[in-house]
Every structure is written in structure tokens, then in C-alpha cells.
Amino acid sequence: MKIAIIGSGLIGQSWAMIFAGAGHKVTLYDIVSEQVSKALETIATNLKNYESQGCLRGQLTASRQVSLITGSSDLQECLNGASYVQECVPESVDLKRQVFNQMDMYITEDMIVASSSSCLGVSQFVGEMKNKHRTLVAHPVNPPYFVPLVEIVPGPWTLPEVSQQTRTLLESVGQAPVTLSKECPGFALNRIQYSIINECWCMYKDGLLSAADIDKLMVNGLGPRYAFIGPLETMHLNADGIVDYCKRYAQGAYNVSSTLTPPPIMYDIPTAENVQSELSSAVPLEQLLERRKWRDRHLAALASLKNQLKEK
Ligand code: NAI
């Protein structure tokens, strides 16, 4: 199957590696043609590094995967013959509208066009298109090569089979898609993520815990638990089923939840500066790049452990 990637920045490169890992032919397009050649070089380096570190995805060698990925500086050529298109241009309604309108005339009846959008639903930018029923959001989580979740978010015009075929394709390449029934602000992942961040922010501002201890709480408590079972199954296992859990703990949970405050506005730079000075004592700003690489190595190791456990 041919996959077209529109926008060859961080996320476009990740999608290209994921699809090539599963043996698909990938063509990368970017408005900046030098960016395409830079992206192809970065992808080749990354895949070779992943191979030597033992975290390359799929059955093919890194050089075989690299050979499946080509670049193009022509939108029509990139889309020609593609069954699935993944748009990865910056998060701007006007830019996405312009790119989707440009693609419209090349969309065929068997093509799916997905946007990587983090928070914009397709309804905000595909309304003028003839082929809007073949568009939807497929929102990955950074770094997508090691964190498999993808949120599939259909727009009001998306055909049900377009959502279903996207889910099947993403599962077949090793991602873990979930499907929302309709668009909503923040989709699902960011709604949950912001509720966590908001409470962390409030606890820090109240002086309840240090920044380091808030992060430790997630890394050593909720994080390990949620790496294998979600919050609903946790309730199910922590009593004789979730109905029993609700009978036993609903009142206590409600009492705590009633003390949660409305969302804070994080544009509170003095608080952010205090958190940053604490975080910087462990990871100075000039070491963020190194720390991101460290994070990716650990996520790769976790992904590989989860795969091994799945096989048992
Ligand atoms: P990026 O800035 O790294 O890459 C965007 C690329 O699009 C650039 O190479 C740029 O030259 C190209 N571009 C700009 N205008 C274009 C046009 N008209 N036609 C073709 N290419 C064009 O951005 P990134 O981080 O890869 O984000 C892409 C999308 O993925 C955004 O919607 C973002 O919200 C979403 N996303 C980003 C995540 C992240 O952590 N960076 C995570 C999940 C989703």
C-alpha cells in the first residue's frame, strides 16, 4: 500500500518510520523542499540507530525500510496512487484548511485523508471540500514510534467505513487506535491529561508537594499501574468488580472530588518559574535534548517489554 505524508517535520518523520516498518511504501512531501531531504537523512539515521539499539519496529532491516521511503516536492505526485494520507503540517486552522483544499482535487474514492491535529477537529477546516466525507483526525502521541496510542476522531461528515478502515490500518502497523464517536475539545487524551496537570499545578501552588515529589508520584505510583491497566479496570480489580467498587468507594471518591477546584490558568509565569528552577536543578535547560533522548530510550525499552509480555 502507498502512504502519503504531508509535512515532513517531527510527526511526519515518525509516521513515515511507522508505516515503512510495516512494509508500506511511503512518500513524504513538504512545502520546503530542503526539509524533505533533511527529513530523509534524519529518518535513515534514526532507523539505523534503532536497529543497533534493538528497538527497530517490524521484520525488515533498517536499510530496507529506508529504501521504502521517498521524498517529493510535488503534492500531486505525492498523493498519486496513495490509499492513505497522513497530514502533518503545523497546528493552524488556516494552514490546514489551505492544505486540505489543495489536496481535495486529488482525493480518489478509495483514499483516506487523516490529519495529525492535536486539538483541531476536521470540521474546523474541511467544510469547503468535495471529499470531506473521506477525512478525519488520527492524532498520535509523541514520540509516536514508541507510544502507540492514536486517537481517531471523525468529523460530522466522515463515513463510518473511513473511521473503521483507518483503525484497521493503524492496528496493522502496530499502533493502538481508539475511536471517539464525535469531535470534542481536547479529544480524549488531552482531556484526561489536562485534568491531571491541573491538579498537579494546584497542589504545587498550595505548597502541598514539591515539583519533584509530584512527578515522583506519577512515575512511581499511577504511571506503572496505568502502563498495564486503565483506571476503569483498576477499579474493577480493586474490589469484587466495578459495581462493588462503586458501592464501597463512591462516597469517599465524591468527598475528595468535591474539593477539587476549577481549572487554574497556567499562564502564571511566577509559579512556572518556581517549578522550572526546581526541575532545572535535575535537568538544566541546556540538557533537554539529551533528556528527550533518554526518555525515548526508556519508552523504547517499555514498548519492547510490553510486546514481550503480550507474546506470553
Ligand atoms: P513540525 O513543525 O515539526 O513540522 C511541520 C512541517 O510541515 C514542516 O516541515 C513544514 O515545513 C511543513 N509545512 C508547513 N506548511 C506546509 C504546507 N502548506 N504543505 C506541506 N508541508 C508544510 O510540526 P509537528 O510537530 O510535526 O506537528 C505536525 C502536526 O502534528 C501538528 O498538527 C501537531 O499539532 C501534530 N502533533 C504534534 C505532536 C508533537 O508532539 N510535536 C504530537 C501529536 C500531534
Short mmCIF file of all heavy atoms in Angstrom, two decimals, residues 164-201:
data_model
loop_
_atom_site.label_atom_id
_atom_site.label_comp_id
_atom_site.label_asym_id
_atom_site.label_seq_id
_atom_site.Cartn_x
_atom_site.Cartn_y
_atom_site.Cartn_z
N GLN A 164 -13.44 3.15 10.35
CA GLN A 164 -13.14 1.73 10.59
C GLN A 164 -11.88 1.29 9.85
O GLN A 164 -11.02 0.61 10.40
CB GLN A 164 -14.36 0.88 10.16
CG GLN A 164 -14.26 -0.59 10.52
CD GLN A 164 -13.85 -0.83 11.98
OE1 GLN A 164 -14.49 -0.32 12.90
NE2 GLN A 164 -12.75 -1.57 12.21
N GLN A 165 -11.77 1.70 8.56
CA GLN A 165 -10.58 1.29 7.78
C GLN A 165 -9.30 1.92 8.35
O GLN A 165 -8.24 1.31 8.34
CB GLN A 165 -10.75 1.71 6.31
CG GLN A 165 -11.74 0.81 5.57
CD GLN A 165 -12.22 1.44 4.25
OE1 GLN A 165 -11.68 2.43 3.78
NE2 GLN A 165 -13.28 0.88 3.68
N THR A 166 -9.41 3.15 8.87
CA THR A 166 -8.24 3.80 9.48
C THR A 166 -7.81 3.01 10.71
O THR A 166 -6.62 2.74 10.92
CB THR A 166 -8.59 5.26 9.87
OG1 THR A 166 -9.03 5.94 8.69
CG2 THR A 166 -7.40 5.98 10.47
N ARG A 167 -8.79 2.62 11.52
CA ARG A 167 -8.47 1.85 12.73
C ARG A 167 -7.78 0.53 12.37
O ARG A 167 -6.77 0.15 12.96
CB ARG A 167 -9.78 1.59 13.50
CG ARG A 167 -9.56 0.95 14.85
CD ARG A 167 -10.86 0.90 15.65
NE ARG A 167 -10.66 0.15 16.86
CZ ARG A 167 -10.89 0.60 18.09
NH1 ARG A 167 -11.35 1.81 18.28
NH2 ARG A 167 -10.66 -0.16 19.15
N THR A 168 -8.33 -0.15 11.35
CA THR A 168 -7.74 -1.43 10.93
C THR A 168 -6.31 -1.23 10.43
O THR A 168 -5.39 -1.98 10.79
CB THR A 168 -8.61 -2.07 9.82
OG1 THR A 168 -9.94 -2.16 10.32
CG2 THR A 168 -8.12 -3.43 9.40
N LEU A 169 -6.10 -0.19 9.62
CA LEU A 169 -4.75 0.07 9.08
C LEU A 169 -3.77 0.37 10.23
O LEU A 169 -2.67 -0.18 10.28
CB LEU A 169 -4.79 1.25 8.10
CG LEU A 169 -3.42 1.74 7.62
CD1 LEU A 169 -2.74 0.68 6.75
CD2 LEU A 169 -3.53 3.06 6.86
N LEU A 170 -4.19 1.25 11.16
CA LEU A 170 -3.27 1.64 12.24
C LEU A 170 -2.95 0.46 13.14
O LEU A 170 -1.82 0.30 13.60
CB LEU A 170 -3.85 2.82 13.03
CG LEU A 170 -3.98 4.11 12.21
CD1 LEU A 170 -4.62 5.23 13.04
CD2 LEU A 170 -2.61 4.57 11.69
N GLU A 171 -3.95 -0.40 13.39
CA GLU A 171 -3.67 -1.62 14.17
C GLU A 171 -2.66 -2.49 13.43
O GLU A 171 -1.74 -3.04 14.02
CB GLU A 171 -4.96 -2.42 14.40
CG GLU A 171 -5.69 -1.97 15.65
CD GLU A 171 -7.13 -2.46 15.73
OE1 GLU A 171 -7.60 -3.14 14.79
OE2 GLU A 171 -7.77 -2.11 16.74
N SER A 172 -2.83 -2.59 12.10
CA SER A 172 -1.97 -3.49 11.33
C SER A 172 -0.51 -3.01 11.32
O SER A 172 0.39 -3.80 11.09
CB SER A 172 -2.49 -3.65 9.89
OG SER A 172 -2.21 -2.47 9.16
N VAL A 173 -0.28 -1.71 11.55
CA VAL A 173 1.11 -1.23 11.57
C VAL A 173 1.65 -1.14 13.00
O VAL A 173 2.73 -0.58 13.23
CB VAL A 173 1.29 0.12 10.83
CG1 VAL A 173 0.89 -0.01 9.37
CG2 VAL A 173 0.53 1.26 11.50
N GLY A 174 0.89 -1.64 13.97
CA GLY A 174 1.41 -1.74 15.35
C GLY A 174 1.03 -0.58 16.26
O GLY A 174 1.52 -0.50 17.38
N GLN A 175 0.15 0.33 15.79
CA GLN A 175 -0.32 1.40 16.68
C GLN A 175 -1.53 0.88 17.47
O GLN A 175 -2.04 -0.21 17.20
CB GLN A 175 -0.68 2.66 15.89
CG GLN A 175 0.50 3.30 15.14
CD GLN A 175 1.69 3.63 16.02
OE1 GLN A 175 2.64 2.85 16.10
NE2 GLN A 175 1.68 4.75 16.71
N ALA A 176 -1.96 1.66 18.46
CA ALA A 176 -3.10 1.24 19.29
C ALA A 176 -4.19 2.32 19.20
O ALA A 176 -4.24 3.22 20.03
CB ALA A 176 -2.65 1.05 20.74
N PRO A 177 -5.02 2.25 18.14
CA PRO A 177 -6.02 3.31 17.96
C PRO A 177 -7.23 3.18 18.89
O PRO A 177 -7.63 2.06 19.24
CB PRO A 177 -6.47 3.12 16.50
CG PRO A 177 -6.15 1.72 16.16
CD PRO A 177 -5.00 1.29 17.02
N VAL A 178 -7.78 4.32 19.30
CA VAL A 178 -9.10 4.36 19.95
C VAL A 178 -9.97 5.26 19.08
O VAL A 178 -9.45 6.14 18.40
CB VAL A 178 -9.03 4.92 21.39
CG1 VAL A 178 -8.22 4.02 22.30
CG2 VAL A 178 -8.47 6.35 21.43
N THR A 179 -11.28 5.01 19.07
CA THR A 179 -12.16 5.79 18.19
C THR A 179 -13.17 6.58 19.01
O THR A 179 -13.95 5.99 19.77
CB THR A 179 -12.93 4.85 17.22
OG1 THR A 179 -11.98 3.97 16.59
CG2 THR A 179 -13.66 5.64 16.15
N LEU A 180 -13.15 7.89 18.88
CA LEU A 180 -14.17 8.73 19.53
C LEU A 180 -15.42 8.72 18.65
O LEU A 180 -15.30 8.57 17.42
CB LEU A 180 -13.65 10.16 19.70
CG LEU A 180 -12.71 10.41 20.91
CD1 LEU A 180 -11.38 9.73 20.76
CD2 LEU A 180 -12.51 11.91 21.13
N SER A 181 -16.59 8.89 19.23
CA SER A 181 -17.80 8.88 18.41
C SER A 181 -18.01 10.21 17.71
O SER A 181 -18.71 10.30 16.70
CB SER A 181 -19.03 8.52 19.24
OG SER A 181 -19.17 9.49 20.26
N LYS A 182 -17.40 11.29 18.26
CA LYS A 182 -17.55 12.63 17.64
C LYS A 182 -16.44 13.54 18.16
O LYS A 182 -15.72 13.17 19.10
CB LYS A 182 -18.92 13.22 17.98
CG LYS A 182 -19.18 13.31 19.47
CD LYS A 182 -20.51 13.98 19.76
CE LYS A 182 -20.55 14.30 21.23
NZ LYS A 182 -21.54 14.01 22.04
N GLU A 183 -16.33 14.71 17.55
CA GLU A 183 -15.31 15.67 17.99
C GLU A 183 -15.67 16.24 19.36
O GLU A 183 -16.85 16.40 19.68
CB GLU A 183 -15.25 16.84 16.99
CG GLU A 183 -14.76 16.42 15.62
CD GLU A 183 -14.73 17.58 14.63
OE1 GLU A 183 -15.22 18.68 14.94
OE2 GLU A 183 -14.20 17.37 13.52
N CYS A 184 -14.65 16.50 20.18
CA CYS A 184 -14.88 17.25 21.43
C CYS A 184 -13.57 17.95 21.77
O CYS A 184 -12.49 17.50 21.36
CB CYS A 184 -15.36 16.34 22.55
SG CYS A 184 -14.11 15.28 23.20
N PRO A 185 -13.62 19.07 22.51
CA PRO A 185 -12.40 19.83 22.78
C PRO A 185 -11.35 18.97 23.48
O PRO A 185 -11.65 18.32 24.49
CB PRO A 185 -12.88 20.97 23.71
CG PRO A 185 -14.34 21.08 23.46
CD PRO A 185 -14.82 19.69 23.10
N GLY A 186 -10.13 18.96 22.93
CA GLY A 186 -9.03 18.20 23.54
C GLY A 186 -9.08 16.71 23.21
O GLY A 186 -8.23 15.95 23.69
N PHE A 187 -10.07 16.29 22.40
CA PHE A 187 -10.29 14.85 22.15
C PHE A 187 -10.35 14.14 23.51
O PHE A 187 -10.91 14.70 24.46
CB PHE A 187 -9.22 14.27 21.22
CG PHE A 187 -9.03 15.06 19.94
CD1 PHE A 187 -7.78 15.18 19.33
CD2 PHE A 187 -10.11 15.70 19.33
CE1 PHE A 187 -7.61 15.92 18.16
CE2 PHE A 187 -9.95 16.44 18.16
CZ PHE A 187 -8.69 16.54 17.58
N ALA A 188 -9.81 12.93 23.65
CA ALA A 188 -9.93 12.24 24.95
C ALA A 188 -8.64 12.34 25.76
O ALA A 188 -8.65 12.65 26.95
CB ALA A 188 -10.30 10.79 24.73
N LEU A 189 -7.51 12.10 25.08
CA LEU A 189 -6.24 12.04 25.82
C LEU A 189 -5.93 13.36 26.53
O LEU A 189 -5.59 13.38 27.70
CB LEU A 189 -5.11 11.68 24.86
CG LEU A 189 -3.76 11.53 25.55
CD1 LEU A 189 -3.12 10.20 25.18
CD2 LEU A 189 -2.82 12.65 25.20
N ASN A 190 -6.09 14.48 25.80
CA ASN A 190 -5.75 15.75 26.44
C ASN A 190 -6.76 16.16 27.50
O ASN A 190 -6.41 16.87 28.44
CB ASN A 190 -5.55 16.85 25.39
CG ASN A 190 -4.12 16.80 24.85
OD1 ASN A 190 -3.19 16.51 25.60
ND2 ASN A 190 -3.96 17.03 23.57
N ARG A 191 -8.00 15.70 27.39
CA ARG A 191 -8.96 15.99 28.47
C ARG A 191 -8.47 15.34 29.77
O ARG A 191 -8.50 15.93 30.83
CB ARG A 191 -10.37 15.47 28.12
CG ARG A 191 -11.03 16.22 26.99
CD ARG A 191 -12.44 15.71 26.73
NE ARG A 191 -13.40 16.21 27.70
CZ ARG A 191 -13.98 17.40 27.62
NH1 ARG A 191 -13.71 18.20 26.61
NH2 ARG A 191 -14.85 17.78 28.53
N ILE A 192 -8.02 14.08 29.64
CA ILE A 192 -7.52 13.38 30.83
C ILE A 192 -6.20 14.01 31.29
O ILE A 192 -5.99 14.28 32.47
CB ILE A 192 -7.35 11.87 30.53
CG1 ILE A 192 -8.72 11.25 30.23
CG2 ILE A 192 -6.67 11.16 31.70
CD1 ILE A 192 -8.67 9.80 29.78
N GLN A 193 -5.32 14.28 30.30
CA GLN A 193 -4.01 14.84 30.65
C GLN A 193 -4.16 16.18 31.37
O GLN A 193 -3.49 16.44 32.37
CB GLN A 193 -3.16 15.00 29.39
CG GLN A 193 -1.85 15.71 29.65
CD GLN A 193 -0.85 15.52 28.54
OE1 GLN A 193 0.13 14.82 28.71
NE2 GLN A 193 -1.09 16.16 27.41
N TYR A 194 -5.05 17.05 30.85
CA TYR A 194 -5.20 18.37 31.49
C TYR A 194 -5.80 18.25 32.88
O TYR A 194 -5.48 19.03 33.77
CB TYR A 194 -6.04 19.31 30.61
CG TYR A 194 -5.30 19.77 29.37
CD1 TYR A 194 -5.96 19.95 28.16
CD2 TYR A 194 -3.93 20.01 29.41
CE1 TYR A 194 -5.28 20.35 27.02
CE2 TYR A 194 -3.24 20.40 28.27
CZ TYR A 194 -3.92 20.57 27.08
OH TYR A 194 -3.25 20.95 25.96
N SER A 195 -6.68 17.27 33.10
CA SER A 195 -7.24 17.15 34.45
C SER A 195 -6.12 16.76 35.42
O SER A 195 -6.08 17.22 36.56
CB SER A 195 -8.44 16.21 34.51
OG SER A 195 -8.02 14.90 34.26
N ILE A 196 -5.16 15.95 34.96
CA ILE A 196 -4.01 15.59 35.81
C ILE A 196 -3.11 16.81 36.03
O ILE A 196 -2.75 17.15 37.16
CB ILE A 196 -3.21 14.42 35.17
CG1 ILE A 196 -4.06 13.15 35.16
CG2 ILE A 196 -1.89 14.20 35.91
CD1 ILE A 196 -3.43 12.00 34.40
N ILE A 197 -2.75 17.48 34.92
CA ILE A 197 -1.85 18.64 35.05
C ILE A 197 -2.48 19.70 35.95
O ILE A 197 -1.81 20.29 36.81
CB ILE A 197 -1.53 19.23 33.66
CG1 ILE A 197 -0.69 18.27 32.83
CG2 ILE A 197 -0.81 20.57 33.79
CD1 ILE A 197 -0.40 18.73 31.41
N ASN A 198 -3.78 19.93 35.77
CA ASN A 198 -4.44 20.98 36.57
C ASN A 198 -4.32 20.69 38.06
O ASN A 198 -4.02 21.56 38.86
CB ASN A 198 -5.93 21.08 36.20
CG ASN A 198 -6.11 21.72 34.83
OD1 ASN A 198 -5.19 22.35 34.31
ND2 ASN A 198 -7.29 21.55 34.25
N GLU A 199 -4.55 19.44 38.45
CA GLU A 199 -4.48 19.10 39.87
C GLU A 199 -3.03 19.18 40.37
O GLU A 199 -2.78 19.63 41.48
CB GLU A 199 -5.10 17.71 40.12
CG GLU A 199 -5.23 17.32 41.58
CD GLU A 199 -5.90 18.40 42.47
OE1 GLU A 199 -6.66 19.24 41.97
OE2 GLU A 199 -5.62 18.38 43.68
N CYS A 200 -2.07 18.76 39.53
CA CYS A 200 -0.65 18.87 39.92
C CYS A 200 -0.30 20.34 40.16
O CYS A 200 0.38 20.69 41.13
CB CYS A 200 0.26 18.31 38.83
SG CYS A 200 0.11 16.53 38.65
N TRP A 201 -0.77 21.19 39.26
CA TRP A 201 -0.48 22.63 39.36
C TRP A 201 -1.06 23.20 40.67
O TRP A 201 -0.39 23.93 41.40
CB TRP A 201 -1.10 23.34 38.15
CG TRP A 201 -0.62 24.73 37.93
CD1 TRP A 201 -1.22 25.88 38.37
CD2 TRP A 201 0.54 25.14 37.22
NE1 TRP A 201 -0.51 26.97 37.97
CE2 TRP A 201 0.57 26.56 37.26
CE3 TRP A 201 1.56 24.45 36.55
CZ2 TRP A 201 1.59 27.30 36.65
CZ3 TRP A 201 2.56 25.20 35.94
CH2 TRP A 201 2.58 26.59 36.00
#
